[in-house]
Amino acid sequence: MFRILVGLDTDENRARAQASMIESLPGSTDEITAVLAHVFQENPGGRSVQQLAGVRQVATALDESGVDYEYYETSGDPASELIAAADEMDVDMICLAGRKRTPTGKVLFGSVTQSVILGTDRPVLTVSPEE
């Protein structure tokens, strides 16, 4: 069994790119379990991970391709919470979708993807959505 923590935000294009990447991994899809994770920073409406459009799109795509999945949600700093979740669940890989940012934007605002890559010993698969 191969477990992948899929760190999802609210962007549907990035979510589709992540689903496509998971579906294209070598091997049998019935050997993969994806953990569809979202870290809420602000959630005044009390939404759950299953209510996010991007998460629903990934779940539908994985249903169609026969990949098992489960949901994970928490609150806090996205990078540290994703790293903690990966450790807690002992996943084999983390899958993230990057954003296009200028070098200055990365310095000023940080990058979840960069922080996860630097903060874990696990393989991190990054994908970019098609424009």
PDB file of all heavy atoms in Angstrom, residues 4 24-25 33 40 53 55 63 67-68 70 72 86-87 89 94 99 102-107 112 117-118 127:
ATOM      1  N   ILE A   4      -0.356   8.617   0.147  1.00  0.00           N
ATOM      2  CA  ILE A   4       0.058   9.946  -0.289  1.00  0.00           C
ATOM      3  C   ILE A   4      -0.777  10.988   0.443  1.00  0.00           C
ATOM      4  O   ILE A   4      -2.010  10.950   0.376  1.00  0.00           O
ATOM      5  CB  ILE A   4      -0.144  10.124  -1.808  1.00  0.00           C
ATOM      6  CG1 ILE A   4       0.590   9.043  -2.581  1.00  0.00           C
ATOM      7  CG2 ILE A   4       0.313  11.518  -2.239  1.00  0.00           C
ATOM      8  CD1 ILE A   4       0.223   9.014  -4.055  1.00  0.00           C
ATOM      9  N   SER A  24      -1.819   9.338 -12.542  1.00  0.00           N
ATOM     10  CA  SER A  24      -0.793   8.949 -13.506  1.00  0.00           C
ATOM     11  C   SER A  24       0.409   8.247 -12.871  1.00  0.00           C
ATOM     12  O   SER A  24       1.331   7.861 -13.586  1.00  0.00           O
ATOM     13  CB  SER A  24      -0.306  10.183 -14.282  1.00  0.00           C
ATOM     14  OG  SER A  24       0.472  11.015 -13.445  1.00  0.00           O
ATOM     15  N   LEU A  25       0.399   8.085 -11.557  1.00  0.00           N
ATOM     16  CA  LEU A  25       1.525   7.413 -10.915  1.00  0.00           C
ATOM     17  C   LEU A  25       1.640   5.975 -11.409  1.00  0.00           C
ATOM     18  O   LEU A  25       0.626   5.320 -11.681  1.00  0.00           O
ATOM     19  CB  LEU A  25       1.354   7.437  -9.394  1.00  0.00           C
ATOM     20  CG  LEU A  25       1.514   8.791  -8.725  1.00  0.00           C
ATOM     21  CD1 LEU A  25       1.130   8.701  -7.255  1.00  0.00           C
ATOM     22  CD2 LEU A  25       2.941   9.294  -8.870  1.00  0.00           C
ATOM     23  N   THR A  33      -3.505   4.886  -1.596  1.00  0.00           N
ATOM     24  CA  THR A  33      -4.499   5.574  -0.778  1.00  0.00           C
ATOM     25  C   THR A  33      -4.063   7.024  -0.660  1.00  0.00           C
ATOM     26  O   THR A  33      -2.940   7.311  -0.240  1.00  0.00           O
ATOM     27  CB  THR A  33      -4.625   4.954   0.625  1.00  0.00           C
ATOM     28  OG1 THR A  33      -5.054   3.604   0.505  1.00  0.00           O
ATOM     29  CG2 THR A  33      -5.624   5.725   1.478  1.00  0.00           C
ATOM     30  N   PHE A  40      -7.167  24.540   7.585  1.00  0.00           N
ATOM     31  CA  PHE A  40      -7.937  25.779   7.675  1.00  0.00           C
ATOM     32  C   PHE A  40      -7.141  26.799   8.478  1.00  0.00           C
ATOM     33  O   PHE A  40      -6.651  26.501   9.558  1.00  0.00           O
ATOM     34  CB  PHE A  40      -9.284  25.539   8.370  1.00  0.00           C
ATOM     35  CG  PHE A  40     -10.256  24.760   7.540  1.00  0.00           C
ATOM     36  CD1 PHE A  40     -10.399  23.388   7.715  1.00  0.00           C
ATOM     37  CD2 PHE A  40     -11.038  25.397   6.592  1.00  0.00           C
ATOM     38  CE1 PHE A  40     -11.303  22.669   6.954  1.00  0.00           C
ATOM     39  CE2 PHE A  40     -11.944  24.685   5.827  1.00  0.00           C
ATOM     40  CZ  PHE A  40     -12.083  23.315   6.006  1.00  0.00           C
ATOM     41  N   ALA A  53     -14.702  22.854  -2.795  1.00  0.00           N
ATOM     42  CA  ALA A  53     -14.896  22.460  -4.198  1.00  0.00           C
ATOM     43  C   ALA A  53     -13.696  21.696  -4.749  1.00  0.00           C
ATOM     44  O   ALA A  53     -13.863  20.687  -5.440  1.00  0.00           O
ATOM     45  CB  ALA A  53     -15.183  23.695  -5.054  1.00  0.00           C
ATOM     46  N   VAL A  55     -11.498  19.883  -3.156  1.00  0.00           N
ATOM     47  CA  VAL A  55     -11.444  18.557  -2.532  1.00  0.00           C
ATOM     48  C   VAL A  55     -12.492  17.649  -3.169  1.00  0.00           C
ATOM     49  O   VAL A  55     -12.218  16.483  -3.475  1.00  0.00           O
ATOM     50  CB  VAL A  55     -11.637  18.652  -1.006  1.00  0.00           C
ATOM     51  CG1 VAL A  55     -11.742  17.276  -0.376  1.00  0.00           C
ATOM     52  CG2 VAL A  55     -10.491  19.442  -0.379  1.00  0.00           C
ATOM     53  N   ASP A  63     -12.408   8.670  -7.425  1.00  0.00           N
ATOM     54  CA  ASP A  63     -13.474   7.660  -7.515  1.00  0.00           C
ATOM     55  C   ASP A  63     -13.492   7.032  -8.906  1.00  0.00           C
ATOM     56  O   ASP A  63     -13.572   5.811  -9.050  1.00  0.00           O
ATOM     57  CB  ASP A  63     -14.850   8.279  -7.244  1.00  0.00           C
ATOM     58  CG  ASP A  63     -15.165   8.411  -5.771  1.00  0.00           C
ATOM     59  OD1 ASP A  63     -14.588   7.672  -4.956  1.00  0.00           O
ATOM     60  OD2 ASP A  63     -16.003   9.279  -5.439  1.00  0.00           O
ATOM     61  N   VAL A  67      -8.919   5.015  -7.159  1.00  0.00           N
ATOM     62  CA  VAL A  67      -7.961   5.289  -6.083  1.00  0.00           C
ATOM     63  C   VAL A  67      -8.734   5.501  -4.781  1.00  0.00           C
ATOM     64  O   VAL A  67      -9.663   6.306  -4.729  1.00  0.00           O
ATOM     65  CB  VAL A  67      -7.100   6.537  -6.396  1.00  0.00           C
ATOM     66  CG1 VAL A  67      -6.212   6.898  -5.217  1.00  0.00           C
ATOM     67  CG2 VAL A  67      -6.277   6.318  -7.648  1.00  0.00           C
ATOM     68  N   ASP A  68      -8.348   4.774  -3.737  1.00  0.00           N
ATOM     69  CA  ASP A  68      -8.963   4.966  -2.429  1.00  0.00           C
ATOM     70  C   ASP A  68      -8.486   6.282  -1.831  1.00  0.00           C
ATOM     71  O   ASP A  68      -7.362   6.715  -2.080  1.00  0.00           O
ATOM     72  CB  ASP A  68      -8.580   3.834  -1.478  1.00  0.00           C
ATOM     73  CG  ASP A  68      -9.254   2.520  -1.829  1.00  0.00           C
ATOM     74  OD1 ASP A  68     -10.345   2.540  -2.426  1.00  0.00           O
ATOM     75  OD2 ASP A  68      -8.675   1.467  -1.509  1.00  0.00           O
ATOM     76  N   GLU A  70      -9.117   9.120   1.779  1.00  0.00           N
ATOM     77  CA  GLU A  70      -9.740   9.488   3.043  1.00  0.00           C
ATOM     78  C   GLU A  70      -9.517  10.979   3.229  1.00  0.00           C
ATOM     79  O   GLU A  70      -8.732  11.589   2.503  1.00  0.00           O
ATOM     80  CB  GLU A  70      -9.148   8.674   4.197  1.00  0.00           C
ATOM     81  CG  GLU A  70      -7.655   8.796   4.332  1.00  0.00           C
ATOM     82  CD  GLU A  70      -7.045   7.753   5.248  1.00  0.00           C
ATOM     83  OE1 GLU A  70      -7.178   6.556   4.970  1.00  0.00           O
ATOM     84  OE2 GLU A  70      -6.421   8.182   6.241  1.00  0.00           O
ATOM     85  N   TYR A  72      -8.711  14.448   5.694  1.00  0.00           N
ATOM     86  CA  TYR A  72      -8.010  14.918   6.884  1.00  0.00           C
ATOM     87  C   TYR A  72      -8.145  16.434   6.919  1.00  0.00           C
ATOM     88  O   TYR A  72      -7.932  17.100   5.912  1.00  0.00           O
ATOM     89  CB  TYR A  72      -6.527  14.524   6.834  1.00  0.00           C
ATOM     90  CG  TYR A  72      -5.737  15.016   8.018  1.00  0.00           C
ATOM     91  CD1 TYR A  72      -5.682  14.267   9.184  1.00  0.00           C
ATOM     92  CD2 TYR A  72      -5.060  16.226   7.968  1.00  0.00           C
ATOM     93  CE1 TYR A  72      -4.955  14.714  10.280  1.00  0.00           C
ATOM     94  CE2 TYR A  72      -4.338  16.689   9.060  1.00  0.00           C
ATOM     95  CZ  TYR A  72      -4.296  15.927  10.210  1.00  0.00           C
ATOM     96  OH  TYR A  72      -3.586  16.378  11.300  1.00  0.00           O
ATOM     97  N   ALA A  86       1.783  14.256   7.935  1.00  0.00           N
ATOM     98  CA  ALA A  86       2.560  13.244   7.203  1.00  0.00           C
ATOM     99  C   ALA A  86       3.293  12.326   8.173  1.00  0.00           C
ATOM    100  O   ALA A  86       3.331  11.103   7.978  1.00  0.00           O
ATOM    101  CB  ALA A  86       3.546  13.922   6.259  1.00  0.00           C
ATOM    102  N   ASP A  87       3.852  12.907   9.220  1.00  0.00           N
ATOM    103  CA  ASP A  87       4.551  12.101  10.226  1.00  0.00           C
ATOM    104  C   ASP A  87       3.575  11.225  11.003  1.00  0.00           C
ATOM    105  O   ASP A  87       3.823  10.046  11.215  1.00  0.00           O
ATOM    106  CB  ASP A  87       5.324  13.010  11.188  1.00  0.00           C
ATOM    107  CG  ASP A  87       6.506  13.695  10.528  1.00  0.00           C
ATOM    108  OD1 ASP A  87       6.955  13.234   9.448  1.00  0.00           O
ATOM    109  OD2 ASP A  87       6.984  14.713  11.082  1.00  0.00           O
ATOM    110  N   MET A  89       0.649  10.076  10.143  1.00  0.00           N
ATOM    111  CA  MET A  89       0.063   9.003   9.330  1.00  0.00           C
ATOM    112  C   MET A  89       1.113   8.139   8.646  1.00  0.00           C
ATOM    113  O   MET A  89       0.760   7.183   7.976  1.00  0.00           O
ATOM    114  CB  MET A  89      -0.870   9.613   8.285  1.00  0.00           C
ATOM    115  CG  MET A  89      -2.103  10.213   8.898  1.00  0.00           C
ATOM    116  SD  MET A  89      -3.195  10.865   7.636  1.00  0.00           S
ATOM    117  CE  MET A  89      -2.741  12.572   7.708  1.00  0.00           C
ATOM    118  N   ILE A  94       4.287  13.211  -0.028  1.00  0.00           N
ATOM    119  CA  ILE A  94       3.414  14.372   0.094  1.00  0.00           C
ATOM    120  C   ILE A  94       3.262  14.962  -1.305  1.00  0.00           C
ATOM    121  O   ILE A  94       4.251  15.115  -2.020  1.00  0.00           O
ATOM    122  CB  ILE A  94       4.005  15.426   1.050  1.00  0.00           C
ATOM    123  CG1 ILE A  94       4.234  14.823   2.437  1.00  0.00           C
ATOM    124  CG2 ILE A  94       3.094  16.658   1.126  1.00  0.00           C
ATOM    125  CD1 ILE A  94       5.045  15.706   3.371  1.00  0.00           C
ATOM    126  N   ARG A  99       2.331  27.445  -6.441  1.00  0.00           N
ATOM    127  CA  ARG A  99       1.808  28.677  -7.030  1.00  0.00           C
ATOM    128  C   ARG A  99       2.964  29.360  -7.724  1.00  0.00           C
ATOM    129  O   ARG A  99       4.109  29.251  -7.308  1.00  0.00           O
ATOM    130  CB  ARG A  99       1.286  29.622  -5.954  1.00  0.00           C
ATOM    131  CG  ARG A  99       0.134  29.073  -5.199  1.00  0.00           C
ATOM    132  CD  ARG A  99      -0.284  30.075  -4.154  1.00  0.00           C
ATOM    133  NE  ARG A  99      -1.322  29.490  -3.319  1.00  0.00           N
ATOM    134  CZ  ARG A  99      -2.026  30.152  -2.453  1.00  0.00           C
ATOM    135  NH1 ARG A  99      -1.818  31.425  -2.278  1.00  0.00           N
ATOM    136  NH2 ARG A  99      -2.952  29.555  -1.747  1.00  0.00           N
ATOM    137  N   THR A 102       6.844  35.374  -7.690  1.00  0.00           N
ATOM    138  CA  THR A 102       8.153  35.960  -7.958  1.00  0.00           C
ATOM    139  C   THR A 102       9.061  35.655  -6.767  1.00  0.00           C
ATOM    140  O   THR A 102       8.577  35.378  -5.660  1.00  0.00           O
ATOM    141  CB  THR A 102       8.044  37.485  -8.118  1.00  0.00           C
ATOM    142  OG1 THR A 102       7.635  38.040  -6.868  1.00  0.00           O
ATOM    143  CG2 THR A 102       7.069  37.862  -9.223  1.00  0.00           C
ATOM    144  N   PRO A 103      10.372  35.732  -6.944  1.00  0.00           N
ATOM    145  CA  PRO A 103      11.275  35.543  -5.797  1.00  0.00           C
ATOM    146  C   PRO A 103      10.961  36.500  -4.651  1.00  0.00           C
ATOM    147  O   PRO A 103      11.013  36.131  -3.485  1.00  0.00           O
ATOM    148  CB  PRO A 103      12.662  35.796  -6.388  1.00  0.00           C
ATOM    149  CG  PRO A 103      12.519  35.416  -7.835  1.00  0.00           C
ATOM    150  CD  PRO A 103      11.104  35.844  -8.202  1.00  0.00           C
ATOM    151  N   THR A 104      10.608  37.739  -4.975  1.00  0.00           N
ATOM    152  CA  THR A 104      10.267  38.702  -3.932  1.00  0.00           C
ATOM    153  C   THR A 104       9.005  38.274  -3.202  1.00  0.00           C
ATOM    154  O   THR A 104       8.922  38.363  -1.975  1.00  0.00           O
ATOM    155  CB  THR A 104      10.056  40.104  -4.538  1.00  0.00           C
ATOM    156  OG1 THR A 104      11.237  40.466  -5.249  1.00  0.00           O
ATOM    157  CG2 THR A 104       9.745  41.125  -3.474  1.00  0.00           C
ATOM    158  N   GLY A 105       8.026  37.768  -3.936  1.00  0.00           N
ATOM    159  CA  GLY A 105       6.790  37.297  -3.315  1.00  0.00           C
ATOM    160  C   GLY A 105       7.047  36.158  -2.348  1.00  0.00           C
ATOM    161  O   GLY A 105       6.434  36.074  -1.288  1.00  0.00           O
ATOM    162  N   LYS A 106       7.972  35.275  -2.697  1.00  0.00           N
ATOM    163  CA  LYS A 106       8.305  34.156  -1.803  1.00  0.00           C
ATOM    164  C   LYS A 106       8.944  34.654  -0.519  1.00  0.00           C
ATOM    165  O   LYS A 106       8.668  34.143   0.561  1.00  0.00           O
ATOM    166  CB  LYS A 106       9.236  33.174  -2.511  1.00  0.00           C
ATOM    167  CG  LYS A 106       8.547  32.372  -3.576  1.00  0.00           C
ATOM    168  CD  LYS A 106       9.518  31.422  -4.236  1.00  0.00           C
ATOM    169  CE  LYS A 106       8.843  30.682  -5.367  1.00  0.00           C
ATOM    170  NZ  LYS A 106       9.783  29.805  -6.076  1.00  0.00           N
ATOM    171  N   VAL A 107       9.805  35.658  -0.634  1.00  0.00           N
ATOM    172  CA  VAL A 107      10.471  36.190   0.551  1.00  0.00           C
ATOM    173  C   VAL A 107       9.465  36.893   1.456  1.00  0.00           C
ATOM    174  O   VAL A 107       9.460  36.709   2.664  1.00  0.00           O
ATOM    175  CB  VAL A 107      11.606  37.162   0.147  1.00  0.00           C
ATOM    176  CG1 VAL A 107      12.126  37.915   1.357  1.00  0.00           C
ATOM    177  CG2 VAL A 107      12.729  36.403  -0.532  1.00  0.00           C
ATOM    178  N   VAL A 112       4.303  27.680   1.243  1.00  0.00           N
ATOM    179  CA  VAL A 112       3.971  26.428   1.923  1.00  0.00           C
ATOM    180  C   VAL A 112       4.763  25.290   1.300  1.00  0.00           C
ATOM    181  O   VAL A 112       5.358  24.472   2.004  1.00  0.00           O
ATOM    182  CB  VAL A 112       2.450  26.154   1.857  1.00  0.00           C
ATOM    183  CG1 VAL A 112       2.126  24.762   2.371  1.00  0.00           C
ATOM    184  CG2 VAL A 112       1.683  27.213   2.638  1.00  0.00           C
ATOM    185  N   ILE A 117       8.916  21.170   1.762  1.00  0.00           N
ATOM    186  CA  ILE A 117      10.087  20.499   1.184  1.00  0.00           C
ATOM    187  C   ILE A 117      11.276  20.570   2.142  1.00  0.00           C
ATOM    188  O   ILE A 117      11.975  19.570   2.351  1.00  0.00           O
ATOM    189  CB  ILE A 117      10.444  21.120  -0.186  1.00  0.00           C
ATOM    190  CG1 ILE A 117       9.388  20.751  -1.221  1.00  0.00           C
ATOM    191  CG2 ILE A 117      11.828  20.670  -0.644  1.00  0.00           C
ATOM    192  CD1 ILE A 117       9.503  21.504  -2.535  1.00  0.00           C
ATOM    193  N   LEU A 118      11.509  21.734   2.715  1.00  0.00           N
ATOM    194  CA  LEU A 118      12.649  21.911   3.609  1.00  0.00           C
ATOM    195  C   LEU A 118      12.427  21.305   4.993  1.00  0.00           C
ATOM    196  O   LEU A 118      13.387  21.019   5.707  1.00  0.00           O
ATOM    197  CB  LEU A 118      12.976  23.404   3.755  1.00  0.00           C
ATOM    198  CG  LEU A 118      13.445  24.094   2.477  1.00  0.00           C
ATOM    199  CD1 LEU A 118      13.591  25.596   2.703  1.00  0.00           C
ATOM    200  CD2 LEU A 118      14.742  23.489   1.968  1.00  0.00           C
ATOM    201  N   VAL A 127       3.277  19.719  -8.203  1.00  0.00           N
ATOM    202  CA  VAL A 127       2.683  19.832  -9.530  1.00  0.00           C
ATOM    203  C   VAL A 127       2.280  21.283  -9.762  1.00  0.00           C
ATOM    204  O   VAL A 127       2.061  22.032  -8.832  1.00  0.00           O
ATOM    205  CB  VAL A 127       1.460  18.901  -9.700  1.00  0.00           C
ATOM    206  CG1 VAL A 127       1.854  17.457  -9.536  1.00  0.00           C
ATOM    207  CG2 VAL A 127       0.356  19.247  -8.732  1.00  0.00           C
TER     208      VAL A 127
END
